[in-house]
Amino acid sequence: MSPELIYNEWLIIEEGFFPEKNRASESIFSIGNGKIGQRANFEEQYSGDSLQGSYVAGIYYPDKTRVGWWKNGYPEYFAKVLNAANWIGINIEIDGEELDLAKWKVINFRRVLNMKEGFLKRTFTVESRNRQIEVETIRFLSIVDTEIGVIRLKVKALNFSGNIRFTPYIDLDVKNEDSNYNEKFWDEISSNIDSGEGHIIGKTKKSNFYVSTGMKLVFEKNHIIIQPEIEKITKQKFIANTTSIPVKQNDELVIYKYAVNITSEDHSVSDLASVTMKSLEKAVSKGFFEMLTQQKNAWIKKWEESDIVIKGDVAAQQGIRFNIFQLNQTYTGEDESLNIGPKGFTGEKYGGSTYWDTEAYALPFYLSTAKSEVARNLLMYRYKHLEKAIENAEKLGFNKGAALYPMVTMNGEECHNEWEITFEEIHRNGAIAFAIYNYTRHTGDNEYLNNFGIDVLIALSRFWSQRVNFSPEKGKYVILGVTGPNEYENNVNNNWYTNTIAAWTLEYTIQSLDQLEKEYPKKFKSKVQKLNFKIVEETELWKKIIQHMHYPYHKEEKVFLQQDGYLDKEQLLASDIDPNERPINQYWSWDRILRSPFIKQADVLQGIYMLEDRYDQNCIKRNFNYYESRTVHESSLSACVHSVLASKTGDIDRAYDFYLRTARLDLDDYNKEVEEGLHITSMAGTWMSVVEGFGGMRVRNDLLSFAPLIPQKWTSYSFNVRFRENILSLYVNGIDISLSNISGESTDVIIYNKKYHLEKGIKIRIERIQ
Amino acid sequence: MSPELIYNEWLIIEEGFFPEKNRASESIFSIGNGKIGQRANFEEQYSGDSLQGSYVAGIYYPDKTRVGWWKNGYPEYFAKVLNAANWIGINIEIDGEELDLAKWKVINFRRVLNMKEGFLKRTFTVESRNRQIEVETIRFLSIVDTEIGVIRLKVKALNFSGNIRFTPYIDLDVKNEDSNYNEKFWDEISSNIDSGEGHIIGKTKKSNFYVSTGMKLVFEKNHIIIQPEIEKITKQKFIANTTSIPVKQNDELVIYKYAVNITSEDHSVSDLASVTMKSLEKAVSKGFFEMLTQQKNAWIKKWEESDIVIKGDVAAQQGIRFNIFQLNQTYTGEDESLNIGPKGFTGEKYGGSTYWDTEAYALPFYLSTAKSEVARNLLMYRYKHLEKAIENAEKLGFNKGAALYPMVTMNGEECHNEWEITFEEIHRNGAIAFAIYNYTRHTGDNEYLNNFGIDVLIALSRFWSQRVNFSPEKGKYVILGVTGPNEYENNVNNNWYTNTIAAWTLEYTIQSLDQLEKEYPKKFKSKVQKLNFKIVEETELWKKIIQHMHYPYHKEEKVFLQQDGYLDKEQLLASDIDPNERPINQYWSWDRILRSPFIKQADVLQGIYMLEDRYDQNCIKRNFNYYESRTVHESSLSACVHSVLASKTGDIDRAYDFYLRTARLDLDDYNKEVEEGLHITSMAGTWMSVVEGFGGMRVRNDLLSFAPLIPQKWTSYSFNVRFRENILSLYVNGIDISLSNISGESTDVIIYNKKYHLEKGIKIRIERIQ
């Protein structure tokens, strides 16, 4: 726990001002509404260390790539979510002196992220030249009116009379710290500034997105609206108002800054200015307090669907809620052109782009806690990129409709340029296939599969069938030169996870095709035609590959072997590593990591987690014990799978240990990197640890496995799950249970023939029996 | 053959002006003297495409590295030989119009590199505004006075009377095209300009080398020295003289520009200015023609030692002489702080840094064609870098005096940052050990080995003994995660070549230590102490490794297997590749190349070439046939080894085919990249193909194998070899021969007991028997 953060069930509270931690706090206290994201930068001028970050979803820039040694096939650009216009800025002068927390004496300081109601509040008292002021700011990004952000900033003159100047502004002259060539990404198209309102329209270079950022201002003095005299300021990429207001001791001034970000993704370019003005008027006429009330109500509704309530452990409660809150701030599932970057909207790292994290870690959360359209839009995102994935595979020498989805993408094109990842971490294709399967079995709805998923599956299967080759030496199909989810091995042969998910994809595609042919013969025929699918030829090959795929195996230990040759390594355990050399990625050179037996995240366990029905309890235990002892968990995506599997083997204490590593990863800044942004996708893994792990709520084909465990420290916990299909049976610790075991105040569970049709999601409550 | 180049035994001739080929010609017509290198840029202003290149040996700059994705252990800098002050510049105006071959009408143009005598000549006739001039320039870098370069530029007014202006200058405001961040690397320290002479002293940023570049001018009109009125020009990093001389039709003006590059590597900084002036005076008083005569004589002497005379094949003759000429221009062996960059002084690529090419390819050439000090200095270069190689290994987690030499270096520090190469292409350590062995057996002189080499060998052996690990699975020592000389495989396990050269190094080190202990017990003892060598403990481990090293083997084909798992690949031959997709490195993505069975250069054959005595003729044939059919020769270092081994198996036609691929690689620009510079180190491979291949002149331990073959097209060829130790027997086609078979006009071969002591080098002539 960072010393300055205070445990609380619903709030994140920072008490005291710690300039050296400011970047970290800016990440943690980020706000977002799926459309706009804003780091917890200060409204007023701050000359201390800060990473300015205002992000508008879907607005990116193709930054020219930087590479040491070019390899054929590398992309030219890395699409990055841009730091967009600063809409929060309100500079403040007290009798001509600029308020700046880096320079003033800070008497008290408190930052609160209200997760229950969705707003950020900051209060502080500062002094300079014997003038003390008290400041309170509240800001939020509305999840009701998603183009709008609002700030209420109050200044109270505590011990003096004088003049307070406000200079609210919009600044488009911003850059990304991670720009490869120090370029600025925005051009100004036009700007307008009046008294009390104004906007700038910017256009991104190359990608040609237009964004209009506007503001409208309201001033109050001692609770009465005032209309002070305002000067207008306009510079290149910058507009502002400035006004000086006289105050006496104990006077309170308030400025309301209503701001909008209106983009060419949602509006025609020619309408941007007028939409900006209309939206601002709407915001002002609703007013701050009404908007805040709507915000609270909307968040309360979100929490009804996605909350996990933990009793007996405030830190755990705060941690899990923080994760759920940030996930809901990042992605709302309303726009199928958007996705989830590993850092969400909380920093520049990873460029806000989409990774396999979405399918492998984030999807289960949204599937279980939101209406199915949310998860479906994540699948549609990939469907819409299918053509580009086929082009991407063509660049790498594949053909006939084979698709390789990019490792990192914004618009479907590959962004990444590290050969062992870009070209070789092809297991991402498997996660995309699995996501279709996961969605379909969760919702019981084949509509996506039959209309869109099948196209994706065929393209993926075509890729795998071309990517394998037959090894005459082994008499088996092999997959050479890959990097698995364990990125501490590069360019290996026959990564067990990759081979497994590849063959599984072929199986699932065949099965889906069979089912489509049976149920919708006409649709099947038209798909076959459209995709130029050679039914017999292609599926025969796929079946041969499924039958003869090579799976490395450790005969003595009876575990799946991570890859060919793994047993040639020095057989050490993670516990053999000198603790002074952990994490090894900070102390060891890359080659040493590569040839060590140590695992960043255990991909064999990832495979077992995904295809759990295939493996019995003993098999899971053996593999878990073998790989856990070799895993150093230097990926934020590692611990959650270990937690779920530890739960699976009934080891709640170990499961809880792993859970702890992820639940407060950012709040407690374990990896000393939260200043770069939050680990958004790994937050979904934390949710998995509780619901799928302790709670045991995992769909296993047609079977909902339900074997809840309660961590020692907890007295009870409850959460929502959502399955829309007939669930054959519901088990607790292997025993079929009746509905009465489920605390179902929000359920409309329909029982027929021992099947539970869980229509809208039910609330599961688990209590410790004393 | 480029259409514009003309076959000639001693000259490289370009007839006609081809602006689109200018960069290529600038490389081919480069001149150098081991100390200074100069691309064949024009003296006069040229607005067309050109890569300006003036290089001063040993003067480098640590350019901040550019990398896409940082890996622990990467160096921060890449040391690059700098583009230094332009000392050749002489701008010319005809009646106020700047002479520029990109703008004037070119009536004729001829560029000649005189390899026999060591100078570059260019003649051309051009016209503009009805004024025709004829220009002739001769320039050379003296191999007698190695700090001096001289230019004689003649302009003849063919059809007009008017004014001709010369503006000779020195320009330090230069940059490297391959600068990572577009920086300029030079600061000006001081400059001086007088009438007819001047200099600039520059200092490199960061590396703080000082170089004074000076010029002194002499003018002639119609063969009479004149002293025209001269204006002085001085700007930031630039000095010039300018003078306008009236001419009548058929008048000839000549400007002699004597230039020097004086460096802080050879002189104290405070002396640079005075040394510059003295050197220039010396040059002028010698005069152009005397210096040219000395140049010719010195080159003729060089040729006596290193020439290969081929009768019956002008293209082959020109090719081999071009290679020998460029090798001798690049490295003279007089300075142990210098080495041989893959491009020599002919371009910026590879930064002029040292690679394993030096030991593996260049050393045999210098061993056989120059006094032994030349080769010895190449070994001293590495000895002097031993401490840094130990530091380099420490960075990668090794200890106790283990050394890993850098993949790419200037001053002993690693420059390269590509993990699969920097960290994994560790076979370079083997080539350095082998070079010590090769030098010692060639010269029969143990002095280097005993005084310096033994330190290097122990450090290398310590590295190998730590880099292996014992595989319980195989019951063998293995070397995991390496890249062999075949760079179309990355991060493989048990590369046969690497394992072989590693175990061989251990053997050779033990043997050298034994010999030292026997012959110089006192020296042995002091080395043991100095190096903290645990005799029993360390050598016992080494012996265990030698005994139990794992060598991949192909049982069916009875060939050494390139690496573990190679047989899992699709078993295709190079002949199966679509010719439209060759070279594959231009058409295939990197992952596709990696998982293909195709070989850039066959490292098993490299090992067989180096350790030939270990393998019988059948073994060599089997391996040659197996790997040759899988090799795509996309390294310029590949064909020479194949040529030598084809000769070894008696297949002269195939050997000749491979020879052709290397001999005129640059002249005929096979790879369309000669504009980047010449393939200097691969040129030594061409020499190997003839002398060691066709000529069969290879030292095999104590046996000089001598089995000459004559390519079909050749009537005879002859070359020099140099061995200073007792040669037990001399064979022709396996039959012991007497001295009379050797054309030995320059020999003082001493015969005792069928042993030939070849003291100073003998000339071998091989003739076709009609």
Side-chain angles (χ1 to χ4, degrees), chain A residues 10 30-34 36 113-120 139-146 291-307 321-332 365-366:
Chain A
W10 277 111
S30 288
I31 56 174
N33 65 1
I36 310 172
L113 184 63
N114 187 319
M115 301 188 287
K116 190 174 189 178
E117 301 177 345
F119 65 87
L120 172 66
R139 85 175 174 233
F140 59 92
L141 284 161
S142 172
I143 61 171
V144 178
D145 304 302
T146 55
M291 285 190 73
L292 185 57
T293 303
Q294 289 183 359
Q295 175 85 340
K296 289 174 182 180
N297 292 338
W299 269 104
I300 285 165
K301 229 171 127 188
K302 268 200 196 285
W303 282 113
E304 275 171 13
E305 299 219 322
S306 56
D307 194 17
R321 281 205 175 120
F322 182 65
N323 293 347
I324 293 167
F325 179 69
Q326 291 294 356
L327 283 163
N328 282 327
Q329 287 208 121
T330 303
Y331 185 75
T332 60
F365 169 77
Y366 293 106

Side-chain angles (χ1 to χ4, degrees), chain A residues 66 68-69 71-72 398 416-420 467 469 471 474 490-491 568 585 588 590 594-595, chain B residues 66 68-69 71-72 398 416-420 469 471 474 490-491 568 570 585 588 590 594-595:
Chain A
R66 191 172 58 195
W69 301 91
K71 309 282 184 194
N72 281 352
F398 301 91
H416 200 70
N417 60 357
E418 204 176 9
W419 65 266
E420 63 275 19
R467 186 59 169 71
N469 70 279
S471 161
K474 292 198 164 62
N490 288 162
N491 194 42
D568 279 333
N585 67 18
W588 290 9
W590 186 241
L594 284 182
R595 65 178 181 277
Chain B
R66 191 172 59 196
W69 301 90
K71 309 282 185 193
N72 281 353
F398 300 91
H416 200 70
N417 60 357
E418 203 175 10
W419 65 266
E420 63 275 20
N469 71 279
S471 161
K474 291 199 164 61
N490 288 161
N491 194 42
D568 279 334
E570 201 176 1
N585 67 20
W588 290 9
W590 186 241
L594 284 182
R595 65 177 180 276

Side-chain angles (χ1 to χ4, degrees), chain A residues 444-464:
Chain A
D445 177 6
N446 289 336
E447 177 275 333
Y448 174 81
L449 173 63
N450 291 340
N451 287 311
F452 307 105
I454 200 74
D455 301 46
V456 175
L457 288 173
I458 286 175
L460 296 175
S461 290
R462 283 170 166 170
F463 173 81
W464 289 121

